[in-house]
Amino acid sequence: MKRKYSHVLTALVSRNLCGLLMALVILISGFNAAPMLSRISYSSLPSKVMAAEITDSQTIPAVTLNKSMASKASRKKAMTAYKKFLKKYVSKKKYYFALCDITSNGIPALLVSGYRNDGSLIKELKNTAISANVYMYLNGKVKKVSDVTCTSSGAALLTKGKQLVFYTHHTKTMVQIKAKKLTGTYYEAKYDTSGNVTYYQYNYKNGVEGTGTVISAKKGESMIYDNKGEKAIRFKANTTSNLKKYIK
């Protein structure tokens, strides 16, 4: 009986020792499991995928920041150039200026006029102008792009979104500066001797007016006579204090 029990006892001890050894192995390998998994998960990925993950998490914010910094630096240079231009070439005479956000590069254009409405006849037109020279900052210099004139009675130079708007009799022009030239659309209502009207649309590209296309009366009337969203450009006197206050 003792011998029989001794065999049983020996078997139990052996089983417990095996169990302890297995537990010990699992415990030890557990400490190294995370590093191994980490190494395996990254080393098994294709190099292009790993590069994409690095780009998404590190490079993109840096690029965005650099673009923002470049934009601010460019605007600052443009404003400095505009101030010098207005002081050196314009201040000897009585002129008025305005900044106008009508360019494709994000730097406002400079409008300079020799006349400003005093509002004595139409109060709403105070400090507006009917004509101006349009300048832009390009390659470190202030360059003239064009001159614009509004000849409609009781009207002024306007903006709508990022477009410069000006009227003549039964016409309306909407342009912005792209590739150093005025680009946009010109609408016209032409009347014959019997009083019948035909509406035309012309496209400006790089400062050149294209061939007119006949459009519907509904579109023509809407584009020429609907002034929804248009805002008058207010011009400032070309004084030192105004340059410091508004050219920035």
Side-chain angles (χ1 to χ4, degrees):
M1 292 292 291
K2 288 183 180 179
R3 186 166 184 168
K4 182 179 180 181
Y5 282 119
S6 66
H7 283 297
V8 172
L9 183 61
T10 302
L12 288 171
V13 170
S14 298
R15 288 181 183 178
N16 287 336
L17 285 173
C18 289
L20 287 171
L21 287 171
M22 289 179 67
L24 184 60
V25 169
I26 292 171
L27 182 62
I28 294 171
S29 63
F31 284 111
N32 295 324
M36 285 298 292
L37 286 173
S38 177
R39 287 195 291 271
I40 291 171
S41 63
Y42 282 96
S43 62
S44 62
L45 290 174
S47 58
K48 289 184 178 180
V49 176
M50 293 181 66
E53 288 190 14
I54 294 171
T55 300
D56 288 343
S57 61
Q58 298 177 10
T59 308
I60 290 177
V63 170
T64 303
L65 179 62
N66 289 338
K67 284 184 178 180
S68 177
M69 291 173 65
S71 178
K72 289 181 179 179
S74 297
R75 183 186 176 93
K76 186 176 180 180
K77 290 179 180 179
M79 296 304 107
T80 300
Y82 285 163
K83 286 179 182 178
K84 289 182 178 179
F85 174 78
L86 289 168
K87 286 179 180 178
K88 185 175 181 179
Y89 297 102
V90 180
S91 61
K92 294 179 180 179
K93 296 182 180 180
K94 192 174 183 180
Y95 280 95
Y96 306 90
F97 70 86
L99 293 179
C100 194
D101 187 18
I102 58 170
T103 64
S104 58
N105 64 4
I107 298 175
L110 175 67
L111 273 62
V112 179
S113 179
Y115 165 84
R116 183 176 69 171
N117 196 317
D118 60 8
S120 58
L121 295 178
I122 303 176
K123 186 178 180 180
E124 289 75 15
L125 293 179
K126 186 175 182 179
N127 295 334
T128 64
I130 61 172
S131 64
N133 288 335
V134 182
Y135 300 90
M136 70 176 295
Y137 179 72
L138 183 67
N139 299 328
K141 296 181 180 180
V142 178
K143 296 187 177 182
K144 183 179 178 181
V145 178
S146 181
D147 54 79
V148 292
T149 302
C150 175
T151 61
S152 289
S153 302
L157 296 177
L158 313 162
T159 58
K160 183 175 182 178
K162 294 197 70 170
Q163 292 182 308
L164 176 63
V165 180
F166 51 98
Y167 290 83
T168 59
H169 295 289
H170 304 297
T171 71
K172 179 179 181 179
T173 304
M174 305 171 70
V175 294
Q176 64 178 156
I177 300 174
K178 287 184 178 181
K180 303 177 283 186
K181 301 288 185 179
L182 286 183
T183 300
T185 311
Y186 167 76
Y187 299 95
E188 181 181 21
K190 286 186 177 181
Y191 290 83
D192 61 20
T193 55
S194 301
N196 300 313
V197 59
T198 303
Y199 293 92
Y200 293 87
Q201 175 180 320
Y202 303 82
N203 293 322
Y204 274 101
K205 189 173 182 181
N206 296 329
V208 179
E209 182 182 310
T211 304
T213 303
V214 176
I215 58 176
S216 67
K218 183 178 180 180
K219 181 178 180 180
E221 290 175 2
S222 174
M223 297 309 301
I224 296 176
Y225 304 113
D226 183 6
N227 59 2
K228 185 178 180 180
E230 296 174 2
K231 298 180 181 179
I233 302 172
R234 307 292 173 177
F235 285 75
K236 308 297 181 183
N238 187 33
T239 63
T240 302
S241 59
N242 279 342
L243 292 179
K244 184 177 181 180
K245 186 176 181 179
Y246 297 105
I247 305 291
K248 60 183 179 180

